[in-house]
Amino acid sequence: MDCIRNSNSCQNDVKDQAIKTYSVIWNKKMKSEIGLEKFQKIIEKKYKIKFESYWDLHKWSVENFPDFWKEMWNFFDIIASKPYEKVFRKTGTGILDNEWFCGAEFNMAETFLRIRNNRIALSYSDEFENKGEMTFAEMFEEVKRFAAAFRKHGLGKGDRIGGYISNIKEALFAFLAALSIGAIWGAAMPYLGPRAVSNMMKVIQPKFIIVVDYFLFGEEEFFPIENLTTVTEGLTNLEKVIIVRQTENTSYQNLSSIPKGVFLEDFLESGRAPDGTVPDLVFEQLPPSHPGIINFTSGTTGIPKGVVHPQVAFLGLMRDYVLHLNLKSGDVVGNYSPAGWAVWIYPIPSLALGVKQFLFNGCPTYSKNGRNIWNHLSENKVTYIFISSGDTIDMESTNIVPGLSTNLDCLKIISLSGSPPKPRNYDFLLNKVKKDMYVGSMYGATETFGTFSAYNLNMPAYACESQVPALGVNLHCFDPKGNSIVGQRGEMVITTPTPSLPIYLWGDKDNERMQEAYFSKYGTGVWCQNDEGYFNPETKGFAVIGRSDNALKQYGERLSPDDIYIAIDHIKELQDYICVCQDSASGDPRSILFVQLADGYAFTPELKKKIEQSIQQELSIVSVPEVILEVPDIPYNINNKRMESTVKQIVMTNVIPHVTNIRNPDCLKYFCDIPEIVNYN
């Protein structure tokens, strides 16, 4: 592993006691050549070098990163009208100050849509059991219709399209059409309320917004169309609000109350030429640095951060799907994430590789008439799907498992992410869903196109750890002084340029917010993701344990909330929990654990003692939170992540902050006016 790039602080024989090595959950060799091996042979032959292990290949990829990304371009045969003159050029001293594939002109949508035959490209279904499929040729024609209408109404290079739409095929078509024109896609998750969406749309000032009228997510109905009066306020560039109808209840009478509203079918018809034909799809030729997408981070307060990625950044996603996930033409990638969540975009570049897309417009925990999401994955022969760790816990608690007749033979890989996975996530998926598959911990972020972590299906993998860093990603764990460390906890950082990183934050004057968010700790030469994690010297894997700004500090010890969660996750009396740090004027911080009880249980002294003993046994006596309190509910954001930073803010101020992107805002009041917290000095 080269100690994560020859660090002087590397101590292979020393490991922090809080770092655990969990069980091996994969230790096989693939029978046929995987994509990673195919790529490795190309590099070995071309550069006359021999790699003895994945670590040798990874080392080459980060030490020779311009060559690595050049080979990615070649490996995926990116269509370009003008070739690049030079792969990489520095334009400044920072890790983002770069020019990639200098001189090239291309449009990544042309590569994504290069397959135009009659093979099935796309299938889709929802909780109502609506379903369908489309060929590559039919999908191309749909994108052409969208692009023609957008162009007819004035969409051009650099204009923005806002999405407020669930995981339906029309979102995919609109995105690809925008990309073909050189417009920029930016979406808000459809579960969000009107004010949160309005804040996002005001940041990007779209020319068009495409909106779904209605969708069902689990047992909850959502009507984004009802929020449009607020959503469209202050959008001075807005030309059209395009409504995608999913229910017959939405009529032209509803449309009259929507500013600049038009139904999708009428909008698409308006793009036809006078003779009734649809104009050809023209792919605007653009430089690699041209912005392609704006993704909003899942932060819950303040002005939303719109992270801008250029079209060349899609190379990182193509790397993931072929080299690390080992997907190939004919495989199927499943996706239940809606537009607005960064992972919605991740599978789309795999269309260029002949990978079929399956869109499930619904909740992973839905169950109706004996059917659930596993039936949909089975019927669509899904090979790979991402499932958030939080959703996996919900699926376990509601017994969302395959039926006796559900055939998951095609399902090969499930990625866990969104929050640090726990042992129970692996137990559930490998014991209750399917034994013979790879369950991996995926470490990525809204800020990167392509993940930090990766899989090598010919190497062992351990529960609760990411197996290896992705090729081309020079990932380190830094101590506060900027030393790279192994076997100890620190900040997860990237130290080598990669086209997967953003180019800027939309509307960020002089890059002030970017500087404060990602470069205040180690300078502009290091990308700091503000996640706390570690590399395990025993396994060579790594784990992320939470946001570094949510760390717990008590009695001189530093922990992650996730340490506490793992220690008490097995206690049957607990439905949920959240742990935060409370600072004090005296300088003595302490940990506060809030617990939500399962139905039928009471918060007794005996249960409190049981919680304390479990934490002491798993961690140490000084790790036991000084305060343990019962609350009726735990706050989660739209991405199903616990909201530690919001709860900590309430604990420190006794004031509920203005919060967006929250699923259950009413529960925040339970953390106010608690004497034991308010009176702490």
Side-chain angles (χ1 to χ4, degrees), residues 488-525:
Q488 304 170 51
R489 297 182 175 203
E491 294 272 1
M492 304 304 291
V493 302
I494 296 175
T495 60
T496 297
T498 164
S500 297
L501 290 172
I503 45 178
Y504 49 81
L505 303 180
W506 191 266
D508 182 19
K509 184 178 180 181
D510 299 325
N511 287 328
E512 291 179 0
R513 298 186 75 196
M514 177 78 85
Q515 174 71 30
E516 180 184 358
Y518 306 105
F519 300 113
S520 60
K521 295 177 181 177
Y522 301 110
T524 57

Side-chain angles (χ1 to χ4, degrees), residues 133-202:
E133 59 185 22
M134 301 185 77
T135 66
F136 281 95
E138 289 170 335
M139 185 177 67
F140 181 84
E141 291 301 315
E142 284 301 306
V143 175
K144 184 168 75 172
R145 293 177 67 208
F146 274 71
F150 281 137
R151 286 184 182 275
K152 183 73 170 287
H153 291 276
L155 187 70
K157 289 185 291 187
D159 291 334
R160 276 79 62 206
I161 294 181
Y164 189 26
I165 188 168
S166 55
N167 190 31
I168 54 179
K169 63 185 187 301
E170 289 80 5
L172 174 62
F173 304 152
F175 164 72
L176 290 170
L179 197 63
S180 73
I181 294 169
I184 307 167
W185 172 269
M189 284 184 288
Y191 328 112
L192 289 174
R195 187 54 57 194
V197 179
S198 173
N199 290 340
M200 293 177 180
M201 293 300 124
K202 284 177 180 176

Side-chain angles (χ1 to χ4, degrees), residues 509-556:
K509 184 178 180 181
D510 299 325
N511 287 328
E512 291 179 0
R513 298 186 75 196
M514 177 78 85
Q515 174 71 30
E516 180 184 358
Y518 306 105
F519 300 113
S520 60
K521 295 177 181 177
Y522 301 110
T524 57
V526 174
W527 178 270
C528 180
Q529 189 55 40
N530 299 302
D531 287 328
E532 186 174 15
Y534 60 81
F535 280 89
N536 187 340
E538 294 179 10
T539 65
K540 299 185 180 180
F542 64 95
V544 174
I545 53 179
R547 300 291 293 174
S548 54
D549 51 5
N550 290 333
L552 306 175
K553 292 164 284 186
Q554 180 176 269
Y555 308 131

Side-chain angles (χ1 to χ4, degrees), residues 179-332:
L179 197 63
S180 73
I181 294 169
I184 307 167
W185 172 269
M189 284 184 288
Y191 328 112
L192 289 174
R195 187 54 57 194
V197 179
S198 173
N199 290 340
M200 293 177 180
M201 293 300 124
K202 284 177 180 176
V203 169
I204 66 174
Q205 288 292 324
K207 182 170 280 190
F208 297 88
I209 300 178
I210 184 166
V211 184
V212 68
D213 61 344
Y214 165 87
F215 70 100
L216 182 67
F217 192 81
E219 298 180 355
E220 189 169 1
E221 294 182 305
F222 291 87
F223 298 88
I225 191 173
E226 296 180 355
N227 299 330
L228 290 178
T229 300
T230 300
V231 167
T232 56
E233 286 177 359
L235 302 184
T236 56
N237 295 329
L238 191 63
E239 292 288 336
K240 294 287 183 184
V241 177
I242 306 160
I243 309 300
V244 183
R245 287 194 281 191
Q246 296 291 288
T247 171
E248 296 177 354
N249 295 330
T250 302
S251 66
Y252 280 92
Q253 185 175 356
N254 302 110
L255 193 64
S256 63
S257 63
I258 299 171
K260 302 181 179 179
V262 60
F263 286 134
L264 175 65
E265 54 267 35
D266 297 330
F267 178 73
L268 295 179
E269 281 299 308
S270 72
R272 292 184 180 273
D275 63 359
T277 60
V278 178
D280 289 338
L281 181 57
V282 177
F283 296 98
E284 293 292 333
Q285 298 302 291
L286 306 163
S289 60
H290 183 80
I293 189 167
I294 302 170
N295 278 319
F296 290 97
T297 62
S298 58
T300 54
T301 60
I303 300 173
K305 288 204 297 280
V307 182
V308 182
H309 283 95
Q311 62 165 345
V312 73
F314 288 103
L315 269 180
L317 298 175
M318 299 174 81
R319 171 207 62 197
D320 291 347
Y321 275 81
V322 174
L323 301 192
H324 295 306
L325 291 171
N326 195 40
L327 297 188
K328 54 191 179 300
S329 180
D331 285 337
V332 183

Side-chain angles (χ1 to χ4, degrees), residues 6 65 101 152 348 371 407 504 508 510 558 573 613:
N6 297 318
F65 65 88
F101 299 98
K152 183 73 170 287
I348 295 175
R371 289 174 55 81
N407 186 337
Y504 49 81
D508 182 19
D510 299 325
R558 180 186 174 98
E573 293 91 341
Q613 288 176 340

Side-chain angles (χ1 to χ4, degrees), residues 349-365:
S350 66
L351 284 166
L353 314 169
V355 174
K356 175 182 168 183
Q357 313 285 301
F358 166 59
L359 309 180
F360 180 64
N361 184 28
C363 176
T365 59

Side-chain angles (χ1 to χ4, degrees), residues 14-47:
V14 176
K15 187 176 74 167
D16 187 315
Q17 291 183 351
I19 296 176
K20 290 190 174 184
T21 299
Y22 292 92
S23 60
V24 175
I25 44 99
W26 178 270
N27 192 10
K28 299 181 180 181
K29 298 290 185 181
M30 301 297 287
K31 294 179 181 179
S32 57
E33 184 179 62
I34 61 175
L36 192 59
E37 291 173 319
K38 180 180 178 182
F39 176 74
Q40 178 175 323
K41 289 178 180 179
I42 291 173
I43 301 303
E44 288 178 330
K45 182 178 180 180
K46 182 172 182 177
Y47 293 89

